[in-house]
Amino acid sequence: MTNHQPSGDNTEQVQTAEAHGGHGHGSGAIIAALGANLGIAALKFIAYALTRSSSMLAEGIHSVADSGNQVLLLVGGKAAQKDADAEHPFGYGRNRYFYAFVVSIIIFALGGLFALYEGIEKWQHPHGIDSWAWVPVAVLVGSILLEGNSFRVAVKESKPLKGNQSWWRFLRTSKNPELPVLLLEDAGALLGLILALIGVGMTLITGDGRWDAAGTMAIGVLLVAIAGFLAVEIKSLLIGEAASTEDLAKIRAALQNGDAGRIIHLKTVHLGPEEILVAAKIRISDSATGLAVAREIDEAEVRIRAAVPAARVIYLEPDVFDPERDEAKEFER
């Protein structure tokens, strides 16, 4: 079995991949979201201190959790850049998946569960907002504007990766964990702010603190749902997902090179968002010499990297097709 790392004629292709993917994991959107959340959290806690609104407390904790999450995403991106070593020969790219998974747990525990607890507590012991009634409304409106700008940045940075996919499909199939996390965080934050505004507004209008409690519980349910979705999707990436259907088709075409029966079996797995391992057994002519086989493999690798620059690690094993042994191997991803 032969393996080649990117080198020689492939350098330009790999550099192109890094320019379009390796450093494009949404750091601009992360920093924009971090700045917005830190400012918003401070305003929400001031509003809570003045009004004792449970919605404001839940939203303040939500913003603190989001700020911590953005720091974790930046840490994960930095950790993923470590060079491969003897202990981790395929590198550290999956650090980005790990830290994104931790983010989903924080959203669930620190954001969702706390909001549910606070909402239930307020429902059992409701009280209106008797002083500084305008403060939470002003803070929530200002927060919606700031969070809306953060969401706009996340959408803008996601569009090149999204391409022609629907947003739902992008969230389900993206191998990049940061941008889907930010999109859902920001969308959840905007919806949460609107729910808090409704709860606080109705409490001010009616004097019934249960509206504030209901808004808080709705925020909790929203955050738990977002956290659950992220945990399921990122767990799949952590375990190891195959290349996308589009990339797999390009890899197959590059390997076949006009010979539809050349691939005996093929498997791929993402070592990181922009790094794919390709392992394949391919049919070689019985009469081919060792030098001819080596050249065929080298040429196949060049074609694969030209078609899918993220294919950084490639193992190709030459063999003769044996129907009894190889036709059962149908799982070719």
Side-chain angles (χ1 to χ4, degrees), residues 60 99 113 158-159 174 190 206 225 259 267 286 293 301 332:
Y99 280 93
L113 294 185
S158 298
K159 280 184 176 179
S174 175
L190 278 172
T206 65
D259 182 356
K267 297 178 186 177
D286 293 349
V293 169
E301 290 178 0
E332 295 186 339

Side-chain angles (χ1 to χ4, degrees), residues 284-304:
I284 298 293
S285 171
D286 293 349
S287 60
T289 65
L291 181 59
V293 169
R295 284 176 178 167
E296 280 194 55
I297 289 175
D298 288 343
E299 290 169 1
E301 290 178 0
V302 170
R303 293 195 301 271
I304 291 171

Side-chain angles (χ1 to χ4, degrees), residues 36 40 138-151 190 193:
I40 291 170
V139 167
L140 288 168
V141 171
S143 298
I144 287 172
L145 294 175
L146 289 171
E147 202 67 67
N149 182 63
S150 175
F151 184 60
L190 278 172
L193 288 166

Side-chain angles (χ1 to χ4, degrees), residues 24-91:
H25 51 264
S27 57
I30 295 173
I31 292 170
L34 177 59
N37 278 313
L38 288 173
I40 291 170
L43 291 175
K44 289 174 180 175
F45 282 123
I46 291 172
Y48 168 71
L50 293 173
T51 64
R52 314 308 290 180
S53 164
S54 65
S55 290
M56 296 310 303
L57 179 58
E59 275 298 306
I61 295 296
H62 180 190
S63 292
V64 169
D66 282 353
S67 299
N69 290 341
Q70 276 109 47
V71 171
L72 284 172
L73 292 177
L74 290 172
V75 170
K78 184 68 175 177
Q81 294 174 13
K82 289 177 62 178
D83 293 332
D85 53 34
E87 188 174 3
H88 296 89
F90 293 115

Side-chain angles (χ1 to χ4, degrees), residues 261-265 281-286 318-330 332:
R262 187 180 195 194
I263 298 175
I264 297 173
H265 66 266
K281 181 176 287 190
I282 57 176
R283 181 170 55 80
I284 298 293
S285 171
D286 293 349
D319 203 349
V320 178
F321 183 76
D322 180 347
E324 292 184 3
R325 178 192 62 191
D326 298 317
E327 284 182 349
K329 298 177 180 177
E330 297 295 335
E332 295 186 339

